[in-house]
Amino acid sequence: MIQPLYPRGTTALAGLLLAGACLHPAMAQEDWPTEQDYFMDLPVALTATRLQQPLQEAPASVTVIDREWLDQSEARNLADILRQVPGFIVGRENGNRPIVTYHALAEQFVRQVQVLVDGRSIYNPTSGGVQWLSMALPPEEIERIEVIRGPNAAAYGSNSFLAIINIITRHPAETRGEQVITRLGSNGIRDLYLRHGGTTQQSAYRLSVYHREDEGFTGNHDPRDNTALRGRFDWDLASGVTLTSQLGLTYLDNGFGSATTPEYPEGGFTQDSGHLHLTLQDNRNPDALLKVQYYLNFLNLHDGYALDPCCPVERDVHSRRHDLEVESHLQLRDGLRMVWGGGARLDASRSQAYLGHNRWVRDHIYRLFANLEWSPDRRWLVHLGGMYESNELSGSDLMPRLALVYMPDAQHSLRLVASRALRSPSQVEKRFNERLAPPPMSGVDLEPEEIQSFELGYHGQWLGGRLVSDVKLFRDRFSDLIQIPYDAAYYRIGTDGYFRNAGDMNLSGVEGALDYRPWADLRLRGGLSLLDANPQDPEARRQADSVPGHILHLGMRYHLPGPWRLSAEYYHYGNIRWVDDCRGPATDAGDGFLDLHLRRRLGPETHLALSLTDVLASGYDTRTPASLPPANRRGTEGYVSLSMEF
């Protein structure tokens, strides 16, 4: 039986998409806005190609969560904010740990999504994925979040596989003075944020302390206690030359397990992590920007529980990452510009539990990248880019992207994008097989996962820019998916299982997003994804089952008369079976997740907010009653926040 490329009805939608763009009359060349007009009036993307460009010129589907949206959000966790990004699946694992993925492959680590903070990757080289709990980055320090919804390895290398989340923090000059935020609520919620910022003639700085605490899910043993210290310092070394240094330390104490489930006893883990990030930028020549950055990430995790008093189990992990990168922007001539650069990275891990010894293992990664943007005239843009990567874990390979953008006028654009991306094995995946015996397990060699992606997209502005829409049709082909042996022993991989490449899958669908401002005091956002996954062999059935049929989000920000503001967010996804939930049945979001926030301004820089989260709580979040570990029983929570700036 021939499977349709897209879900039923999307062919007609594609025709409307193309016809709509063609119906807009072409503008005379002299009527087009200048580049300066674009940057002043339109939202820009920095992450798609590493070049600053208006969203409608980007060779990717881009969602921007701007400062206005963040300022009115009372969310305690960054993961909850990402529920407002089309196509994102957000849930919580045992121990109240967030799971964040795009479209598919949802499991406890999610190794296929790249997350950056000001260009610094926080991807964990040991197990892969992102330690969301240890980020402890408050929304008050974030300027914007850019999400590339689709592969972008051409710009950021392997593991930029399904999507990229780039968190751009605020300049210290924008956060001068003191700020205090306190939060108290049900379920033991006790949060505190303290910030101090200042400026001198040639520098600006920000220091902050962030503490979060709660008791986790009802019926589970998963309390959380998280404290972070952060600092950012910016110096003007000379006219047009700046040095930015950022550092952070985080401590996390988290429980997990259940007293009523012998197979999953109570335990806990503690984690201390930190980073140092230095960026030197020279933009004295506007046609030849140069940036050099270095960062160090470290993580020490102590993870343990006891099957019985005499049999403790420990899964400690230590990881380090050093990364050095050089990036150059060049304006070659009118209508032709490029970015190119290279980098070197050292990843190191140590874990007796996962690597079979207590020695450090090290892997080197070297990269060269370039992206060329050519505009033969005002209506056309050609993007050609790629990343060449030499990786000790997965070998050497090229990850290219070719995109064509057509702009019939200044408000509408069509894009056609073809790209290839890889997801290299983590150090645990690659090296776990080496400790297994007898053969053939010890001889199994992992190849990187591969995705070939094709996208037809439309970006448009209507009603004088008050309505912005983005629609895409896409088809992704996955191959060499890495099968994780969770069936061997749930969360405790045994010697009867090993990692291997097996399984191909096609994923196609349609996805749309709207951002509408009917008037100045009201803003509405929404997104809908319709997805269709087809495993090409039985080995990929588990990954295909991790794709819900639909993902929906709705958001509202309303400035009521007087000092009041109301915001609401709704989120829902269809049936899904988590990749690592080998025993539980498929589940969905039930009645969906609804969060409500009411805020009142008490003074120029003071406000009080009441928040109700998961108002429609029913059933379970992520896990179902039949699964192990035990289910996360959902419940409505309420908390009060007080924010004061001096």
Side-chain angles (χ1 to χ4, degrees):
M1 179 179 178
I2 299 177
Q3 297 289 341
L5 180 60
Y6 297 107
R8 190 174 301 170
T10 57
T11 304
L13 180 58
L16 290 174
L17 184 150
L18 291 167
C22 296
L23 286 175
H24 292 280
M27 298 176 62
Q29 181 168 329
E30 60 270 20
D31 294 332
W32 281 75
T34 66
E35 184 178 81
Q36 184 63 26
D37 292 329
Y38 274 132
F39 292 142
M40 289 176 61
D41 300 331
L42 301 178
V44 298
L46 307 172
T47 311
T49 62
R50 296 180 183 242
L51 293 168
Q52 180 172 271
Q53 56 203 170
L55 290 184
Q56 69 176 35
E57 297 182 8
S61 300
V62 185
T63 295
V64 176
I65 301 175
D66 55 28
R67 183 62 218 155
E68 177 189 1
W69 196 266
L70 289 165
D71 184 55
Q72 299 182 42
S73 172
E74 300 293 337
R76 300 179 62 230
N77 304 296
L78 280 176
D80 294 337
I81 295 175
L82 294 172
R83 284 176 171 165
Q84 294 298 297
V85 178
F88 265 65
I89 303 169
V90 180
R92 285 183 286 182
E93 171 57 51
N94 67 88
N96 205 9
R97 291 179 289 180
I99 297 175
V100 179
T101 189
Y102 179 63
H103 285 171
L105 309 181
E107 48 100 10
Q108 62 174 315
F109 293 111
V110 185
R111 300 168 173 90
Q112 294 81 8
V113 174
Q114 181 71 266
V115 180
L116 310 172
V117 178
D118 294 324
R120 173 179 62 90
S121 172
I122 59 173
Y123 193 88
N124 184 346
T126 307
S127 59
V130 173
Q131 300 288 333
W132 287 99
L133 280 180
S134 64
M135 285 187 64
L137 179 58
E140 289 74 19
E141 294 187 9
I142 301 174
E143 178 63 30
R144 57 198 273 125
I145 302 175
E146 291 188 8
V147 182
I148 307 300
R149 304 186 338 262
N152 200 19
Y156 292 97
S158 61
N159 307 325
S160 305
F161 191 82
L162 292 176
I164 292 184
I165 302 166
N166 189 13
I167 301 167
I168 301 169
T169 62
R170 304 176 71 184
H171 192 281
E174 299 176 348
T175 56
R176 289 177 293 179
E178 287 70 40
Q179 183 177 22
V180 178
I181 299 176
T182 60
R183 186 175 292 120
L184 296 173
S186 61
N187 202 32
I189 293 175
R190 294 178 292 274
D191 299 346
L192 176 64
Y193 172 67
L194 302 173
R195 186 203 73 207
H196 169 71
T199 59
T200 67
Q201 187 174 358
Q202 293 182 312
S203 66
Y205 65 91
R206 177 175 61 240
L207 300 170
S208 64
V209 180
Y210 189 33
H211 177 81
R212 293 181 300 180
E213 185 177 348
D214 59 59
E215 296 175 358
F217 285 101
T218 301
N220 286 10
H221 172 71
D222 55 1
R224 174 179 57 177
D225 192 330
N226 191 359
T227 302
L229 305 176
R230 303 180 62 87
R232 172 169 169 168
F233 306 85
D234 288 61
W235 287 276
D236 294 327
L237 303 182
S239 178
V241 181
T242 60
L243 174 64
T244 300
S245 62
Q246 301 185 64
L247 62 145
L249 296 171
T250 301
Y251 177 78
L252 173 66
D253 189 347
N254 211 122
F256 60 78
S258 171
T260 60
T261 308
E263 293 185 62
Y264 192 67
E266 290 185 2
F269 62 88
T270 60
Q271 177 178 295
D272 60 88
S273 59
H275 68 271
L276 170 65
H277 186 191
L278 303 174
T279 304
L280 179 66
Q281 185 163 304
D282 183 351
N283 57 3
R284 288 173 294 182
N285 182 351
D287 294 332
L289 180 146
L290 178 65
K291 183 170 74 172
V292 180
Q293 76 165 5
Y294 163 80
Y295 65 81
L296 161 67
N297 296 338
F298 74 86
L299 181 146
N300 301 308
L301 171 69
H302 175 70
D303 185 359
Y305 58 93
L307 294 174
D308 58 61
C310 66
C311 301
V313 177
E314 292 187 354
R315 299 176 293 186
D316 292 4
V317 174
H318 305 272
S319 70
R320 305 286 185 270
R321 167 170 285 186
H322 297 268
D323 188 282
L324 177 65
E325 182 178 88
V326 179
E327 177 182 320
S328 175
H329 296 218
L330 298 174
Q331 183 74 40
L332 302 176
R333 59 178 175 82
D334 288 345
L336 183 65
R337 59 178 183 161
M338 71 175 296
V339 57
W340 69 279
R345 174 179 293 169
L346 171 63
D347 287 338
S349 298
R350 181 163 60 91
S351 175
Q352 177 73 41
Y354 293 111
L355 301 176
H357 55 75
N358 209 28
R359 302 184 302 274
W360 286 95
V361 298
R362 295 175 174 83
D363 294 294
H364 297 83
I365 300 97
Y366 302 97
R367 291 172 167 172
L368 292 173
F369 61 87
N371 189 88
L372 186 70
E373 180 188 278
W374 175 47
S375 178
D377 62 42
R378 293 282 189 175
R379 295 176 180 82
W380 293 94
L381 274 176
V382 179
H383 297 271
L384 178 62
M387 172 80 70
Y388 178 79
E389 185 173 281
S390 175
N391 190 324
E392 286 188 77
L393 289 171
S394 56
S396 301
D397 219 319
L398 177 66
M399 292 163 278
R401 174 176 57 198
L402 174 63
L404 184 65
V405 179
Y406 172 62
M407 296 172 289
D409 59 35
Q411 287 76 42
H412 306 271
S413 68
L414 284 170
R415 63 182 179 273
L416 182 64
V417 187
S419 66
R420 175 178 182 262
L422 300 176
R423 201 278 287 184
S424 61
S426 68
Q427 291 180 316
V428 167
E429 289 174 307
K430 184 73 172 181
R431 301 184 186 281
F432 187 86
N433 292 348
E434 297 175 0
R435 59 179 286 199
L436 300 179
M441 289 182 287
S442 58
V444 173
D445 191 23
L446 283 181
E447 298 295 327
E449 296 180 335
E450 180 180 347
I451 181 173
Q452 297 180 15
S453 179
F454 301 91
E455 174 183 320
L456 173 63
Y458 164 73
H459 184 88
Q461 295 188 74
W462 311 80
L463 305 176
R466 291 186 291 114
L467 174 62
V468 179
S469 61
D470 190 274
V471 180
K472 74 170 182 177
L473 306 175
F474 66 92
R475 182 179 186 273
D476 298 333
R477 176 173 176 79
F478 298 83
S479 57
D480 289 328
L481 291 171
I482 296 177
Q483 302 295 333
I484 302 173
Y486 284 111
D487 289 333
Y490 198 83
Y491 285 122
R492 297 183 291 276
I493 301 172
T495 56
D496 54 343
Y498 59 97
F499 297 93
R500 58 195 174 89
N501 295 104
D504 297 345
M505 178 180 75
N506 291 335
L507 174 60
S508 56
V510 57
E511 185 167 276
L514 291 174
D515 192 338
Y516 180 40
R517 300 171 186 260
W519 55 85
D521 292 334
L522 178 62
R523 184 178 182 184
L524 306 172
R525 296 185 72 162
L528 176 64
S529 306
L530 301 176
L531 309 174
D532 182 23
N534 294 297
Q536 300 302 293
D537 52 60
E539 295 282 0
R541 168 54 60 185
R542 176 176 292 182
Q543 283 83 358
D545 287 345
S546 73
V547 179
H550 74 271
I551 305 170
L552 169 70
H553 82 263
L554 301 170
M556 178 195 71
R557 298 286 187 269
Y558 183 40
H559 193 169
L560 297 165
W564 298 92
R565 286 187 179 181
L566 174 67
S567 63
E569 292 144 6
Y570 178 77
Y571 171 73
H572 190 275
Y573 56 82
N575 282 343
I576 181 173
R577 186 191 301 273
W578 306 87
V579 173
D580 53 350
D581 194 359
C582 55
R583 306 187 187 186
T587 185
D588 60 23
D591 296 325
F593 297 83
L594 175 64
D595 296 345
L596 301 173
H597 308 280
L598 181 64
R599 185 165 77 168
R600 188 184 194 283
R601 188 178 67 253
L602 303 179
E605 302 296 339
T606 304
H607 70 260
L608 183 69
L610 171 64
S611 300
L612 296 176
T613 61
D614 207 356
V615 174
L616 302 178
S618 63
Y620 300 83
D621 183 357
T622 304
R623 303 296 175 183
T624 62
S627 67
L628 291 172
N632 296 325
R633 184 179 295 277
R634 291 169 55 188
T636 301
E637 295 180 1
Y639 51 84
V640 176
S641 306
L642 176 64
S643 174
M644 297 177 290
E645 292 190 56
F646 308 97

